[in-house]
Amino acid sequence: GNSVTQMEGPVTLSEEAFLTINCTYTATGYPSLFWYVQYPGEGLQLLLKATKADDKGSNKGFEATYRKETTSFHLEKGSVQVSDSAVYFCALSGKGGTASKLTFGTGTRLQVTL
Amino acid sequence: KAGVTQTPRYLIKTRGQQVTLSCSPISGHRSVSWYQQTPGQGLQFLFEYFSETQRNKGNFPGRFSGRQFSNSRSEMNVSTLELGDSALYLCASSSAGGALFGYTFGSGTRLTVV
């Protein structure tokens, strides 16, 4: 079945540092890939997505590229802010009948300090 | 516009009881999905409803059930509660179903079983 593996947290960075959160996946066919973010006490918000190989999703300074050859979708940001502190989830969805089901990784907590 | 509304926000129930959670999707959204979030298992897909029909189902026991009404509001029911059912239950809505169209998540209902 489908699965997502992402790096363990917490990740602690100083403001303006470079961020990478690793995500790899296992899936049949060509899934769509997503990054969601969860702030304390809130639900999940879609951060970015990519639907086919070599697509780059981007939003709010965050980027991730769909790498089929390495089955990866690593999240990056050039300069993090304190307000980026949250839990980040990598997720995938299949095509066709499974398109409505999201399979999530375990989440990576990011803590950004001044 | 109003987001996805889940009620109640917090709930405490006794083992063996049953519980009903409610989700009101964004106006115009016809797809509603439910997820369970726990520290041990992470985010797991429960089921998805589209136009009052269950379209997709996760690997949960039959104690977990749901339904969707003609106005797209959805309810989730858990019967014979167990301690392990303690979790944050998240509802997500989408205009047409399928993760590609973008899911909007509610803030969740935190269920504690004692």
Side-chain angles (χ1 to χ4, degrees):
Chain A
N2 296 340
S3 67
V4 175
T5 303
Q6 58 183 108
M7 62 188 288
E8 295 281 336
V11 173
T12 302
L13 295 172
S14 298
E15 199 170 49
E16 299 184 0
F18 184 86
L19 168 71
T20 299
I21 300 178
N22 291 336
C23 171
T24 58
Y25 67 90
T26 300
T28 53
Y30 302 91
S32 297
L33 302 173
F34 308 85
W35 277 100
Y36 279 83
V37 58
Q38 186 175 34
Y39 298 100
E42 297 184 16
L44 279 71
Q45 299 176 23
L46 177 64
L47 184 57
L48 53 83
K49 66 181 180 183
T51 59
K52 61 183 187 298
D54 300 324
D55 265 1
K56 177 185 282 188
S58 62
N59 185 27
K60 301 180 181 179
F62 291 90
E63 293 184 340
T65 301
Y66 190 144
R67 301 287 188 200
K68 188 174 184 305
E69 63 275 13
T70 55
T71 61
S72 65
F73 193 55
H74 305 320
L75 182 68
E76 297 181 335
K77 187 176 185 183
S79 176
V80 294
Q81 306 298 312
V82 172
S83 57
D84 294 327
S85 298
V87 181
Y88 292 80
F89 293 91
C90 185
L92 68 80
S93 72
K95 297 293 196 302
T98 61
S100 58
K101 173 185 173 182
L102 285 166
T103 299
F104 287 91
T106 53
T108 302
R109 182 176 300 278
L110 171 65
Q111 180 75 39
V112 181
T113 59
L114 290 171
Chain B
K1 63 182 178 185
V4 177
T5 304
Q6 293 189 245
T7 56
R9 285 296 307 273
Y10 302 92
L11 206 48
I12 300 175
K13 288 288 188 179
T14 303
R15 193 170 45 182
Q17 287 186 313
Q18 77 164 15
V19 67
T20 298
L21 312 182
S22 179
C23 172
S24 293
I26 288 175
S27 178
H29 283 192
R30 295 163 62 191
S31 167
V32 174
S33 298
W34 289 88
Y35 289 81
Q36 181 196 65
Q37 185 177 23
T38 61
Q41 299 297 317
L43 281 152
Q44 293 187 287
F45 174 78
L46 282 154
F47 29 65
E48 186 228 1
Y49 286 86
F50 183 81
S51 293
E52 302 179 65
T53 300
Q54 187 181 84
R55 193 160 65 170
N56 220 331
K57 188 177 188 304
N59 298 322
F60 278 80
R63 299 186 297 107
F64 291 81
S65 63
R67 60 178 176 170
Q68 186 179 32
F69 302 95
S70 58
N71 62 357
S72 293
R73 190 178 70 85
S74 177
E75 288 183 345
M76 191 192 92
N77 184 275
V78 188
S79 62
T80 320
L81 284 165
E82 300 177 359
L83 297 179
D85 297 333
S86 294
L88 180 66
Y89 290 89
L90 292 166
C91 167
S93 76
S94 172
S95 58
L100 282 178
F101 294 93
Y103 282 114
T104 302
F105 281 80
S107 298
T109 293
R110 184 163 296 281
L111 171 65
T112 302
V113 181
V114 297

